[in-house]
Amino acid sequence: MPAHHHHSHAPANYGRTFAIGVSLNVAFVLVEALMGWRVHSLALVADAGHNLGDVGGLLLAWAGLAVGTLRSNERRTYGWRRASILASFANAVILLMVMGSLALAAVQRLRTPAPMEGGVVMLVAGVGVLVNAVTAWLFMAGSRSDLNLRGAYLHMAADALVSVGVVLAGALYVWRGWMWIDPVVTFAIVLVIVVGTWSLFRQSLHLLFDGVPETIDLRDVDRYLCSLPGVESVHDLHVWATGTSSTALTAHLVMPAGYPGSAFIVAASKALHDQFEIIHPTLQIETELLDDDCCKPLTSPSPH
């Protein structure tokens, strides 16, 4: 007896947030690139290129969110929700690649130090800190519950951190005249961002291969189902993410013949939603356990 739910479970409407974030960052990229070209600052031009790449990351996350809200049909019964997982993975890969390119640029700058106009660099990078911090703040709340929005948040937070590093490098250059400070600060920023992005990369890759979301303990779910009145055993239990904010479950419950009624399914589905945030549960009732290796339960059923 399956329990099906046909609802839209996309996160709160972040379309306007993405529009504001993209507009702010495109405007800043244009200003930063123009100023970098006028004052012959490679650091500003390079940071503008980095910010332009992250605008692409924002657009990718926005597209993933929009596509994920498309309705399901006969060919795609879960709709396009997995697009948000794919966008999260792509965002992580892009950010790691950008950090790799920044590290290579820092190595080249260490080999051939170059002077820069520290005051202008500090001013423009300071504006970048403000723009990126505001954009990151717009996505902060959603990043706690949606992996795709977390990718957008990490992109903007990383940009803010990079801009802080550029400000610091400019200040130390003005104060001490150290031409090597720019690449050294860049290395430190790259390390911090890679450590923070690796979790996003790992989680999104895990979900792409139908892994159990990290917020759910499969054995806890199994123990709950085994504890339901009348359940003799549970097998073929599967939990996976259909999107960055929706989770599905299928399970076979072995129960006495003629048991239960629809109220049992409704109550179990509600409890799975409330306790584990599983939105799409499908429970199949069976009267005997099949002799099949794939049907082995995770835990022993609770005595009733």
Side-chain angles (χ1 to χ4, degrees):
M1 182 182 296
H4 298 292
H5 300 270
H6 302 285
H7 305 294
S8 176
H9 301 289
N13 184 6
Y14 273 80
R16 183 178 179 183
T17 301
F18 275 108
I20 294 173
V22 168
S23 299
L24 283 174
N25 282 270
V26 167
F28 174 67
V29 165
L30 293 174
V31 171
E32 187 176 34
L34 177 61
M35 292 303 297
W37 174 74
R38 291 189 64 178
V39 303
H40 306 288
S41 170
L42 179 61
L44 284 181
V45 173
D47 190 44
H50 167 230
N51 285 322
L52 182 61
D54 282 345
V55 168
L58 274 181
L59 291 172
L60 186 64
W62 191 1
L65 185 68
V67 170
T69 62
L70 296 178
R71 291 184 177 276
S72 59
N73 55 38
E74 293 83 358
R75 298 291 296 171
R76 295 178 179 84
T77 56
Y78 279 112
W80 295 79
R81 293 191 185 95
R82 190 166 290 252
S84 60
I85 300 177
L86 184 60
S88 302
F89 177 73
N91 258 329
V93 171
I94 290 172
L95 192 52
L96 290 173
M97 291 176 63
V98 169
M99 291 303 104
S101 66
L102 282 178
L104 288 176
V107 170
Q108 295 175 354
R109 181 58 63 89
L110 274 175
R111 291 174 177 172
T112 56
M116 59 180 177
E117 294 190 28
V120 176
V121 170
M122 289 172 60
L123 177 61
V124 177
V127 175
V129 173
L130 180 61
V131 169
N132 292 315
V134 168
T135 308
W137 174 78
L138 292 173
F139 292 103
M140 182 180 294
S143 69
R144 300 187 182 99
S145 58
D146 185 273
L147 198 63
N148 187 35
L149 295 179
R150 183 183 172 197
Y153 167 75
L154 283 176
H155 261 94
M156 293 301 99
D159 274 355
L161 190 59
V162 170
S163 295
V164 169
V166 175
V167 172
L168 179 62
L172 290 174
Y173 178 78
V174 170
W175 179 40
R176 305 292 295 182
W178 294 336
M179 289 190 293
W180 52 264
I181 193 63
D182 183 35
V184 169
V185 170
T186 300
F187 276 127
I189 293 170
V190 166
L191 179 60
V192 171
I193 293 175
V194 167
V195 170
T197 304
W198 186 254
S199 174
L200 176 67
F201 173 80
R202 179 177 54 81
Q203 288 185 48
S204 56
L205 182 62
H206 176 71
L207 295 183
L208 277 176
F209 285 92
D210 290 331
V212 178
E214 292 191 353
T215 56
I216 296 176
D217 187 322
L218 192 63
R219 291 189 177 273
D220 285 345
V221 176
D222 183 71
R223 279 190 286 266
Y224 165 73
L225 293 174
C226 285
S227 71
L228 293 173
V231 174
E232 297 176 355
S233 65
V234 177
H235 64 89
D236 279 326
L237 173 60
H238 302 284
V239 176
W240 72 100
T242 60
T244 53
S245 59
S246 59
T247 305
L249 170 148
T250 59
H252 295 205
L253 309 182
V254 179
M255 306 182 71
Y259 190 94
S262 59
F264 173 89
I265 299 295
V266 172
S269 298
K270 184 178 186 304
L272 288 169
H273 177 274
D274 294 343
Q275 294 184 37
F276 304 102
E277 297 185 355
I278 294 172
I279 295 172
H280 293 278
T282 301
L283 303 175
Q284 178 172 317
I285 309 301
E286 300 173 351
T287 58
E288 61 180 6
L289 177 62
L290 301 176
D291 186 14
D292 192 338
D293 287 340
C294 73
C295 295
K296 293 179 179 178
L298 292 176
T299 59
S300 300
S302 304
H304 299 293

